[in-house]
């Protein structure tokens, strides 16, 4: 790692809390999953996974997860009858052991806290969201170094950044600008560990405003199965994602459609539904929101669960969530190439200038990365964008030290830019680029943080292989270049999207 990278301020400062020792302190207090999910409990003893799922509010969550496991196994046996599936290394596809959800030796620990006020366009009155991310972890020591084994599952508790009538300790009403200021001010602190936790919890700290009544929903992501590399197939891992929204009347989490998770199977099987979706998405107003990454697709077109398969190749494949919806990827496509070209022209006629989607290929890419599963297939650590750092390990130096994916870090500049706009009362620009390629903002101090890094133009960044003929270069990706001394090399067999590497000599 270059020395300047080690000395540089953290990209996530002011937009996420990733310090492992501070998270440990917070997990010991009111940010333990037990205190968040069951605030009426007077006992500070941590809840095991089984105790958590036994809460009345969580009963339907566990039932729904079990049903998804059963569906996954049935589908696997129907599509891959010659590859065994079950728990343990004796199977071709090794299932996640659901017994760990009930184990007395596993619990969800706080892995990170992420500010998502960049999502205030979804609910302006709530000023966006704050997310508490918990990782399922064995508490009993395992292995020679005594480190517990972290399990491949996260529980994301999503809270409204502001609830109605929220006031501070002086009785003054809380505003979006005030919340943003608290986060950005805390991000400038050089404190760590318990001192940082105390700063975050102080009356003027960002976490002082987080309360149980702000809980909106939970999002689960778990590695449902993986297949080691063999003579029959390449390595593959499947991640199950689901969303459960809190019913304020019953206090129970109910399964809900996943935001922008397009239900490909239903759209391809139901021509009428497919036509309705096409008409809705290609409307100039919705197409503009789709291009900007701020689209909110109606629930009638969405799924309630998703499987994100990784690694997903750079080339189009059935593993991608929107595969087959655009002409050229199977039969009965919902969108023809002419549909997309005509829609882009119509949008231009009414003054809409796309920032990302300037071609059919750009439309396809956005159709995938606007979904939950498609986004997690992009530059994720396996199927996660925030696995968090292991602070329980007896020897943390032997544990994972990278809390999040390149996609997460590459997006921090955009998120902080939105927080800064909120802080000063200006209108934020909520748009975002493709998941592979962060959208640079105009602030020079922000631009300098990403330029030449592995997130943008540097070694390992996603890029586009340019043709000698400029007319042959796809307008959606032709700005995806590499820094001096690096070349864009192909990764897939058919796609010209590649990665920046040192030039061959």
């Amino acid at each position: 790692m270059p020395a300047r990278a080690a000395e540089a301020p953290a990209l996530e400062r002011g937009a996420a809390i990733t310090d492992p020792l501070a998270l440990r302190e917070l997990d010991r207090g009111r940010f333990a999953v037990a205190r968040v999910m069951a605030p009426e409990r007077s006992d500070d003893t941590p809840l095991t996974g089984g105790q958590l799922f036994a809460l009345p509010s969580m009963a339907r969550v566990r039932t729904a997860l079990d049903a998804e496991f059963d569906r996954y196994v049935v589908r696997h046996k129907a599509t891959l009858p010659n590859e065994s599936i079950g728990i343990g290394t004796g199977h071709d596809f090794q299932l996640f052991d659901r017994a760990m959800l009930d184990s007395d030796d596993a619990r969800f620990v706080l892995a990170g806290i992420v500010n998502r006020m960049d999502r205030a366009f979804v609910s302006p009155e709530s000023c966006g969201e704050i997310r508490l991310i918990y990782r399922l972890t064995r508490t009993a020591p395992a292995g020679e170094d005594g480190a517990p084994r972290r399990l491949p599952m996260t529980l994301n508790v999503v809270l409204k950044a502001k609830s109605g009538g929220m006031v501070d300790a002086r009785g003054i009403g809380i505003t979006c600008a005030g919340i943003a200021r608290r986060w950005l001010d805390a991000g400038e602190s050089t404190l760590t560990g318990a001192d940082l936790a105390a700063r975050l919890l102080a009356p003027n700290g960002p976490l002082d405003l987080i309360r149980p009544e702000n809980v909106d929903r939970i999002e689960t992501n778990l590695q449902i199965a993986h297949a080691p590399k063999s003579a029959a197939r390449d390595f593959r891992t499947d991640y199950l994602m689901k969303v459960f929204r809190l019913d304020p009347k019953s206090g129970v989490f109910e399964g809900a459609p996943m935001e922008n998770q397009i239900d490909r199977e239903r759209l391809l099987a139901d021509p009428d539904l497919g036509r309705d979706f096409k008409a809705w998405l290609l409307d100039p107003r919705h197409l503009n929101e789709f291009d900007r990454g701020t689209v909110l697709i109606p629930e009638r077109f969405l799924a309630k669960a998703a499987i994100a398969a990784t690694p997903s190749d750079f080339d189009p494949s059935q593993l991608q969530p929107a595969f087959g919806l655009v002409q050229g990827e199977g039969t009965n496509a919902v969108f023809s190439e002419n549909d997309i070209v005509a829609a882009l022209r119509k949008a231009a006629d009414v003054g809409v200038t796309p920032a990302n989607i300037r071609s059919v290929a750009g439309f396809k890419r956005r159709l995938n990365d606007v979904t939950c599963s498609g986004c997690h297939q992009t530059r994720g650590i396996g199927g996660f964008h925030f696995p968090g750092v292991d602070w329980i390990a007896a020897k943390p130096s032997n544990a994972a030290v990278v809390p999040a994916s390149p996609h997460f870090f590459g997006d921090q500049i955009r998120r902080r830019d939105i927080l800064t706009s909120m802080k000063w009362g200006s209108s934020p620009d909520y748009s975002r680029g493709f998941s592979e390629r962060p959208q640079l903002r105009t602030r020079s101090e922000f631009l300098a943080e990403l330029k030449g890094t592995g997130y943008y133009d540097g070694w390992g960044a996603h890029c586009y292989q340019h043709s000698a003929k400029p007319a042959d270069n796809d307008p959606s990706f032709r700005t995806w270049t590499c820094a001096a001394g690096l070349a864009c090399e192909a990764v897939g067999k058919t796609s010209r999207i590649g990665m920046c590497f040192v030039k061959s000599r």
Side-chain angles (χ1 to χ4, degrees), residues 291-314:
D291 171 71
R292 288 168 50 81
T294 59
V295 71
L296 295 173
I297 298 172
E299 290 187 355
R300 63 186 292 239
F301 303 122
L302 304 180
K304 287 190 174 182
I307 297 292
T310 62
S312 180
D313 201 351
F314 280 64

Side-chain angles (χ1 to χ4, degrees), residues 28-187:
R28 290 171 173 173
R30 66 186 181 93
F31 283 89
V33 71
R35 297 286 294 276
V36 173
M37 302 301 288
E40 70 282 357
R41 291 179 81 244
S42 57
D43 184 4
D44 283 337
T45 304
L47 286 179
T48 65
Q51 292 170 331
L52 176 68
F53 286 110
L55 294 174
S57 62
M58 295 288 287
R60 295 184 182 177
V61 174
R62 180 57 197 275
T63 300
L65 291 176
D66 284 338
E68 292 297 338
F69 267 84
D70 294 340
R71 275 191 284 270
Y72 180 86
V73 172
V74 170
R75 186 167 56 247
H76 174 92
K77 290 181 177 178
T79 56
L80 298 170
N82 297 324
E83 297 189 48
S84 64
I85 184 169
I87 298 169
T89 57
H91 299 276
D92 298 316
F93 272 70
Q94 299 169 23
L95 275 175
F96 178 91
D97 186 359
R98 279 180 280 175
M100 294 310 305
L101 298 178
D102 302 315
S103 173
D104 291 335
D105 294 327
R107 70 178 183 93
F108 286 92
V109 301
L110 185 64
I113 302 178
V114 180
N115 181 303
R116 292 307 309 269
M117 293 175 70
D118 62 292
R119 287 178 43 77
F121 66 89
V122 178
S123 53
E125 70 283 356
S126 300
C127 305
E129 302 165 353
I130 307 298
R131 301 184 175 189
L132 310 179
I133 302 176
Y134 297 89
R135 178 72 179 255
L136 185 60
T137 305
R138 284 197 181 106
T139 53
E144 292 181 357
D145 62 356
R149 292 175 56 190
R150 298 206 306 163
L151 299 169
M153 180 177 183
T154 58
L155 180 74
N156 180 11
V157 181
V158 183
L159 306 101
K160 300 173 184 177
K162 180 172 80 75
S163 61
M166 180 182 284
V167 296
D168 63 17
R170 297 171 297 171
I172 299 174
I174 298 296
T175 64
C176 297
I179 298 174
R181 182 176 296 108
R182 289 179 181 227
W183 278 87
L184 290 171
D185 289 351

Side-chain angles (χ1 to χ4, degrees), residues 384-400:
F384 300 104
H385 278 309
F386 198 101
V389 173
D390 184 6
W391 51 258
I392 289 184
K395 298 180 180 179
S397 62
N398 294 339

Side-chain angles (χ1 to χ4, degrees), residues 274-290 295 326 334-348 350 352 357 363 367:
R275 280 192 294 269
D276 289 349
F277 179 58
K278 178 171 68 174
W280 185 88
L281 187 58
L282 296 186
D283 173 270
R285 181 169 68 89
H286 298 143
L287 185 62
N288 182 42
E289 294 169 341
F290 183 59
V295 71
V326 179
V334 172
F335 302 92
S336 71
E337 293 189 359
N338 288 337
D339 290 333
I340 298 167
V341 172
L344 290 173
R345 287 175 179 167
K346 184 178 180 180
V350 296
V352 174
I357 303 171
F363 183 91
L367 204 59

Side-chain angles (χ1 to χ4, degrees), residues 21 29 92 97 120 126 132 154 157 212 222 226 270 273 297 303 353 356 368 374 384 391 437 459 480 489:
L21 299 183
D92 298 316
D97 186 359
S126 300
L132 310 179
T154 58
V157 181
L222 65 88
H226 76 277
D270 186 339
L273 188 67
I297 298 172
T353 302
N356 300 291
N368 279 294
F384 300 104
W391 51 258
R437 188 78 173 180
W459 192 94
W480 295 23
E489 297 189 9

